[in-house]
Amino acid sequence: MTVGKEGVAAGPELGDLVCRELCRAGIPAYVMRPEATGRPGARVEADDSQGEHVGGLYVRWSAPGLAAAAVKAVTERADPAAPEWEHHAEVALLMRTALIGILRLAGFSAVPAEDVDDLAEGDVYVHAGTPSRS
């Protein structure tokens, strides 16, 4: 399927396209909604802010089981370098790299989110209006 060069605005349509491509690659993905907060997989959220990069999506890998184990280890042992924390951080980094690769292969313009927003470290930013094919 080809997505027109005229682009797709950020929001439900772009979010659905991103989710569909990730699901086709075997990655669980969903558009963020209040009732979906604890789900594992790629969480897709529209950027509704103002500014230079308005009109994109943030994608974050969510692994609630790994995250809970990491927080528990750090809290119980008061050790910010707990192996469980390191494991969680490494998995998140690997998944971000994979998400960027999969989305770029599908024709989206995807970058590490800190390239556009230094507060979004660890996320993937998908620019609106740039998918060329799927």
Side-chain angles (χ1 to χ4, degrees), residues 9 13 17 24 28 30 33 44 49 63-64 75-76 80 86 106-107 109 118:
E13 185 180 356
L17 288 170
R24 286 180 56 195
Y30 59 95
R33 292 182 177 85
V44 177
S49 65
T75 303
E76 287 180 356
E86 294 295 322
S109 175
D118 60 355

XYZ file of all heavy atoms in Angstrom, residues 9 13 17 24 28 30 33 44 49 63-64 75-76 80 86 106-107 109 118:
143
model
N -1.439 13.826 8.604
C -1.268 14.631 9.814
C -1.143 13.727 11.027
O -1.644 12.607 11.046
C -2.466 15.560 9.976
N -4.994 8.855 12.394
C -4.652 8.189 11.129
C -3.176 7.789 11.097
O -2.842 6.653 10.774
C -4.980 9.094 9.937
C -4.762 8.388 8.604
C -5.097 9.278 7.414
O -5.566 10.419 7.590
O -4.864 8.802 6.293
N -1.484 4.016 11.213
C -0.512 3.539 10.216
C 0.755 3.007 10.882
O 1.267 1.947 10.515
C -0.145 4.659 9.245
C -1.194 5.084 8.231
C -0.751 6.357 7.510
C -1.462 3.966 7.239
N 2.564 -5.591 11.803
C 2.957 -6.443 10.670
C 4.333 -7.044 10.883
O 4.621 -8.140 10.415
C 2.960 -5.633 9.367
C 1.566 -5.316 8.857
C 1.610 -4.513 7.583
N 2.386 -5.219 6.571
C 2.844 -4.672 5.454
N 2.613 -3.408 5.202
N 3.522 -5.379 4.595
N 3.905 -5.843 19.148
C 2.622 -5.349 19.653
C 2.656 -3.818 19.713
O 3.635 -3.242 20.195
C 2.527 -5.929 21.069
C 3.597 -6.956 21.170
C 4.616 -6.654 20.114
N 0.032 -0.081 20.028
C -1.291 0.487 20.278
C -1.181 1.994 20.424
O -0.154 2.519 20.843
C -1.922 -0.123 21.536
C -1.100 0.076 22.786
C -1.354 1.143 23.638
C -0.061 -0.800 23.106
C -0.594 1.339 24.783
C 0.694 -0.615 24.252
C 0.420 0.450 25.092
O 1.182 0.643 26.211
N -4.180 5.409 24.969
C -5.470 5.850 25.487
C -5.433 5.614 26.996
O -4.694 4.734 27.447
C -6.604 5.061 24.844
C -6.765 5.366 23.362
C -7.933 4.606 22.741
N -8.094 4.972 21.359
C -7.434 4.437 20.344
N -6.531 3.499 20.562
N -7.639 4.838 19.108
N 2.054 4.323 21.154
C 2.106 5.409 20.174
C 1.237 6.558 20.684
O 0.075 6.354 21.024
C 1.599 4.919 18.796
C 1.579 6.046 17.784
C 2.442 3.744 18.312
N 1.718 19.321 20.676
C 2.344 20.556 21.142
C 2.494 21.549 19.999
O 2.249 21.235 18.846
C 3.717 20.251 21.741
O 4.583 19.768 20.739
N 7.577 -2.303 28.630
C 7.692 -3.660 29.147
C 7.420 -3.602 30.646
O 8.349 -3.537 31.452
C 9.072 -4.229 28.855
N 6.144 -3.588 31.039
C 5.795 -3.388 32.446
C 6.439 -4.395 33.401
O 6.841 -4.021 34.502
C 4.270 -3.512 32.469
C 3.842 -3.178 31.075
C 4.949 -3.684 30.190
N 14.803 -0.057 44.382
C 14.191 0.417 45.619
C 14.589 -0.451 46.812
O 14.997 0.067 47.847
C 12.653 0.438 45.480
O 12.313 1.250 44.368
C 11.995 0.985 46.727
N 14.454 -1.761 46.669
C 14.741 -2.654 47.791
C 16.214 -2.665 48.177
O 16.544 -2.788 49.347
C 14.285 -4.076 47.462
C 12.787 -4.239 47.492
C 12.347 -5.659 47.175
O 13.199 -6.521 46.845
O 11.130 -5.906 47.251
N 21.229 2.063 42.504
C 20.827 2.562 41.181
C 21.474 1.808 40.024
O 21.044 1.947 38.887
C 21.264 4.026 41.195
C 22.241 4.143 42.300
C 21.974 3.033 43.264
N 19.789 -2.245 34.784
C 20.623 -2.261 33.584
C 19.976 -3.097 32.482
O 19.984 -2.715 31.317
C 22.028 -2.784 33.903
C 22.825 -1.869 34.820
C 23.127 -0.521 34.191
O 23.395 -0.464 32.972
O 23.090 0.484 34.921
N 9.535 0.907 6.573
C 8.157 1.083 6.104
C 7.946 2.446 5.448
O 6.855 2.740 4.975
C 7.186 0.910 7.266
N 8.984 3.298 5.429
C 8.881 4.576 4.753
C 8.627 5.770 5.648
O 8.460 6.888 5.160
N 9.659 8.627 8.527
C 10.819 9.351 9.008
C 10.812 9.206 10.529
O 10.015 9.839 11.215
C 10.736 10.823 8.602
O 11.810 11.528 9.177
N 14.629 17.124 23.932
C 15.583 16.557 24.884
C 14.930 15.965 26.127
O 15.579 15.272 26.900
C 16.670 17.564 25.264
C 16.137 18.836 25.900
O 14.908 19.007 25.973
O 16.965 19.658 26.309
